Amino acid sequence: MAEAASPRAASTQARIGDSEFDRDTTVTRREPGVYDIELSAGWTIINAVNGGYLLAVLGRALADALPHSDPFTVSAHYLTASTPGPAVIRTDVVRAGRTLSTGQASLFQYAQDGTEVERIRVLASYGDLDALPDDVRTSAQVPAFPPIDQCFGASDSPEGAPPVPGSSAITDRLHLKLDPATLGWALGAPSGKGEMRGWFGLADGRDADPLSLLLAVDALPPTAFEMGLKGWVPTVELTVHVRCRPAPGPLRISITTRNLAGGFLEEDAEVWDAKDRLVAQSRQLARVRLG
């Protein structure tokens, strides 16, 4: 059972607890260390459940299983594609420390013959973000791109251009506005650069918190699109570092790829909040279809 959240965290949970994201990531404890969930079809890309949503689901189970409630670092290996429907999460407490606790979790679904298939395995360390010191020493810079009203979402299109393609069902649950400089792929003229930038929020207005940051790092279109590649870009491994609790308001996300080789690429993401603070970082390895 998780320890009681801090007053600040508790007030945030009260404000955002009735959102679609919270409902769709809610896990039901069957017994200690075992949780049931119905993976929602609302967070799919094509027919597969989005990896960031899955990470948030497992993150919520670990927040209940561990004595700390805030994810600090979460590393996930995606073994097979998850589909909407029932799933079970099994957690283990690896170490329960005073300031950090470490646990592991796996999500399983059932095959047609009734056997369990492991979809994703996570190792994570949790703590209390509100207990961290305020000292910040960084060379990281806030990404420079246009204001949100000068960026484009799935329902927008530049004059004379076709609508910006969406990302299947998940698009309706997100408020994404992409930097026009990273939208060449949508107009049939990708820049060739491994870059994607945009404003991020949830469509129902829910403010960001540490758990939703696990979704945010995997919510933008893949950088492969702007490199002239098409099709599904499945995640192989994803590691997220949550650096502080985000302030209310939209987030800015910048993703870059420096190396595509052998049909795999990395994506490095930075997430900045409304107070210009670097609130999350991530790196993922993904497969791409060449040719």
Side-chain angles (χ1 to χ4, degrees):
M1 183 68 177
E3 293 177 348
S6 67
R8 178 179 177 185
S11 64
T12 301
Q13 290 165 359
R15 184 173 66 250
I16 63 182
D18 61 348
S19 79
E20 186 174 26
F21 173 77
D22 290 292
R23 294 194 301 272
D24 289 347
T25 57
T26 295
V27 295
T28 301
R29 192 196 305 185
R30 183 196 305 176
E31 59 186 68
V34 181
Y35 301 84
D36 294 305
I37 184 168
E38 185 79 14
L39 297 179
S40 170
W43 303 89
T44 54
I45 299 176
I46 309 177
N47 296 316
V49 181
N50 170 261
Y53 164 72
L54 289 171
L55 204 58
V57 166
L58 284 141
R60 191 177 292 282
L62 282 167
D64 183 81
L66 294 171
H68 295 92
S69 59
D70 293 330
F72 275 31
T73 178
V74 182
S75 294
H77 285 263
Y78 294 80
L79 308 177
T80 56
S82 299
T83 56
V88 60
I89 299 169
R90 291 189 171 87
T91 65
D92 289 301
V93 178
V94 178
R95 180 182 181 273
R98 185 174 62 85
T99 59
L100 281 178
S101 296
T102 299
Q104 61 183 4
S106 290
L107 183 143
F108 300 85
Q109 290 188 301
Y110 296 98
Q112 291 183 347
D113 62 3
T115 59
E116 285 188 345
V117 178
E118 187 175 7
R119 302 296 197 193
I120 175 174
R121 184 178 296 189
V122 163
L123 183 66
S125 290
Y126 277 53
D128 181 359
L129 289 170
D130 295 324
L132 296 179
D134 294 330
D135 181 53
V136 176
R137 310 178 196 189
T138 182
S139 60
Q141 298 181 351
V142 181
F145 55 90
I148 195 167
D149 60 356
Q150 296 177 26
C151 294
F152 297 94
S155 61
D156 304 316
S157 62
E159 184 176 354
V164 175
S167 298
S168 302
I170 193 173
T171 303
D172 295 334
R173 276 133 200 96
L174 303 178
H175 183 64
L176 288 181
K177 295 287 185 176
L178 301 180
D179 179 357
T182 65
L183 267 177
W185 59 275
L187 308 176
S191 68
K193 299 178 180 178
E195 299 177 351
M196 196 66 61
R197 292 182 295 274
W199 296 86
F200 170 89
L202 291 168
D204 61 11
R206 177 201 194 273
D207 283 328
D209 70 348
L211 197 67
S212 68
L213 293 177
L214 304 181
L215 166 70
V217 298
D218 196 43
L220 269 60
T223 55
F225 288 2
E226 196 63 354
M227 299 171 77
L229 302 174
K230 299 179 181 180
W232 188 36
V233 184
T235 303
V236 176
E237 187 271 345
L238 171 60
T239 294
V240 185
H241 297 159
V242 177
R243 308 307 301 270
C244 65
R245 195 177 305 281
L251 302 171
R252 283 159 291 178
I253 303 176
S254 175
I255 306 177
T256 58
T257 292
R258 297 172 57 198
N259 190 55
L260 188 162
F264 292 85
L265 57 76
E266 89 289 345
E267 288 191 340
D268 290 316
E270 293 182 350
V271 184
W272 297 78
D273 73 359
K275 292 185 176 181
D276 292 345
R277 299 179 304 167
L278 182 60
V279 294
Q281 298 163 281
S282 74
R283 165 167 280 199
Q284 74 169 278
L285 182 71
R287 288 192 290 118
V288 295
R289 184 177 63 186
L290 300 174

